[in-house]
Amino acid sequence: MGASTASYGLLNIMIITLIGFRGSGKSSVGPLLAEELNMTFVDTDQQIEKETEQSIADIFAEQGEEYFRKVEAETLQTICQKENQVVATGGGAVLNLQTQLLIQQNGPVIWLQADAETTLKRIQKDQAAGAIRPALTDLDFQQEVVTLLEQRKPIYRDLSDIQIDTVDATPEQIVEHVLPLIEMSDWGSS
Ligand code: S3P
């Protein structure tokens, strides 16, 4: 049986936000974590695609990254109007200042970490399964992942309350690991 919010004493928490690079496991860990805590799972990319009726790749191709980051921040602002949610953010959401402020206001921020090699393998596997991700730089795929991961790491680190190594861990193991850390964080009630 899943743990309830009450048994985990998460009374101070409105929203749990998952951050991390593409392929870090946000979309597979998020729904499981939400289920354990009786919360709703929301994925900002899916929400954006629903609201704009455009794919993320099309938004990048037609309106550019800067426009996408604005839409991403606005979408997150709307999502944050509701309580009791686990929110998976896009890997680059943390680049926007408004988004940074929003995710830190409402509850614990969890950084799902993976090294470049693991990240590359996971993204390649997703792509083989049909996932379409827009290119973010003019670099080749491998260089882009290595470069952006290094650039973003300090931001993920600064923004997160909890850091979880996802390499060699299943989504279920990650959830099991993260639950007590949420309770022990500043956002858990005691
Ligand atoms: C992006 C990551 C994507 C998506 C967009 C931009 C990024 O989300 O928001 O393609 O800048 O790293 P995922 O991390 O869910 O793949």
Side-chain angles (χ1 to χ4, degrees):
M1 196 167 87
S4 69
T5 38
S7 70
Y8 271 96
L10 302 174
L11 302 176
N12 301 323
I13 295 176
M14 297 194 301
I15 290 172
I16 296 171
T17 307
L18 303 179
I19 62 172
F21 203 75
R22 290 168 162 178
S24 60
K26 294 162 294 185
S27 329
S28 43
V29 171
L32 290 180
L33 183 60
E35 195 185 341
E36 278 296 311
L37 295 170
N38 273 334
M39 290 180 156
T40 308
F41 173 68
V42 188
D43 178 299
T44 55
D45 282 347
Q46 283 174 8
Q47 199 68 20
I48 291 167
E49 291 190 330
K50 203 168 117 193
E51 272 164 29
T52 61
E53 297 180 350
Q54 269 185 297
S55 69
I56 302 294
D58 282 350
I59 300 176
F60 266 77
E62 289 165 26
Q63 285 117 319
E65 180 171 355
E66 201 181 323
Y67 174 82
F68 174 76
R69 297 291 169 217
K70 228 178 93 217
V71 174
E72 194 172 39
E74 285 163 7
T75 303
L76 193 63
Q77 174 112 45
T78 307
I79 290 170
C80 290
Q81 305 305 311
K82 283 203 203 138
E83 299 186 1
N84 291 325
Q85 301 183 95
V86 174
V87 179
T89 54
V94 296
L95 301 174
N96 180 285
L97 191 61
Q98 189 189 338
T99 300
Q100 290 185 1
L101 295 173
L102 259 175
I103 66 174
Q104 288 187 298
Q105 273 168 14
N106 300 312
V109 181
I110 301 169
W111 173 23
L112 299 182
Q113 293 171 287
D115 56 60
E117 198 189 328
T118 307
T119 302
L120 279 162
K121 277 193 202 143
R122 289 180 183 167
I123 297 176
Q124 273 161 338
K125 202 169 148 202
D126 275 5
Q127 276 169 343
I132 299 168
R133 289 182 156 104
L136 301 167
T137 63
D138 294 331
L139 299 168
D140 70 35
F141 167 65
Q142 187 162 345
Q143 272 307 313
E144 175 173 292
V145 170
V146 171
T147 307
L148 291 187
L149 193 54
E150 276 315 301
Q151 276 175 12
R152 291 178 183 177
K153 264 190 205 165
I155 310 176
Y156 295 137
R157 190 175 295 115
D158 280 358
L159 287 178
S160 54
D161 300 293
I162 295 167
Q163 298 84 27
I164 302 280
D165 183 358
T166 68
V167 179
D168 294 331
T170 63
E172 287 79 7
Q173 287 168 331
I174 295 167
V175 169
E176 201 177 318
H177 185 169
V178 88
L179 284 167
L181 298 179
I182 294 172
E183 192 175 19
M184 282 188 301
S185 78
D186 288 346
W187 293 94
S189 65
S190 52

